[in-house]
Amino acid sequence: QVQLVESGGGLVQPGGSLRLSCSASGSLFSQYFMYWYRQAPGKQREWVAAISSNSIKTYEASVKGRFTITRDNAKNMVYLQMDSLKPEDTAVYFCNARPSSGSSFWGQGTQVTVSS
């Protein structure tokens, strides 16, 4: 069982920045594919960013160029640096770990609100 804890959410003005953190349990973190998802009110959860075990990164089109996903295997941490935030980025952001095919684990989420 993989346990994930997100942090770093909060209220930020449009154009501002936040860095989300995800702390993962386990000794095999470096082998996990890690993901960030978000869910806005009234909408389904959507994929935002991914980073593979060898640190290949992919992004949803609307955040590409503004968000950066990174990982620190020595600390069992994944981060999402969010710059140039827009009101439409407002959502609960979730960390997701996939240790192997067919396995998926979620954190509790952290609220990001972009508003003036």
Side-chain angles (χ1 to χ4, degrees):
Q1 190 80 280
V2 178
Q3 295 180 343
L4 305 170
V5 180
E6 302 97 331
S7 62
L11 175 64
V12 65
Q13 295 184 20
S17 297
L18 284 173
R19 190 179 78 156
L20 306 183
S21 299
C22 173
S23 176
S25 66
S27 61
L28 301 177
F29 174 79
S30 64
Q31 301 179 24
Y32 303 165
F33 282 52
M34 300 297 296
Y35 305 81
W36 286 99
Y37 286 75
R38 66 187 181 187
Q39 187 167 22
K43 298 182 179 180
Q44 67 178 355
R45 193 170 299 182
E46 67 173 351
W47 168 75
V48 175
I51 185 165
S52 72
S53 58
N54 60 347
S55 294
I56 301 299
K57 304 171 183 180
T58 53
Y59 301 93
E60 190 272 326
S62 71
V63 309
K64 189 174 183 180
R66 300 188 297 120
F67 291 10
T68 304
I69 186 171
T70 57
R71 67 191 300 158
D72 186 340
N73 290 336
K75 297 181 178 179
N76 277 27
M77 296 288 290
V78 174
Y79 306 95
L80 186 68
Q81 177 67 44
M82 305 185 295
D83 299 318
S84 301
L85 283 162
K86 304 175 181 180
E88 50 262 47
D89 295 319
T90 296
V92 178
Y93 283 71
F94 296 90
C95 183
N96 174 253
R98 299 176 189 174
S100 62
S101 179
S103 300
S104 183
F105 301 91
W106 297 89
Q108 83 289 348
T110 186
Q111 176 71 48
V112 172
T113 303
V114 185
S115 176
S116 299

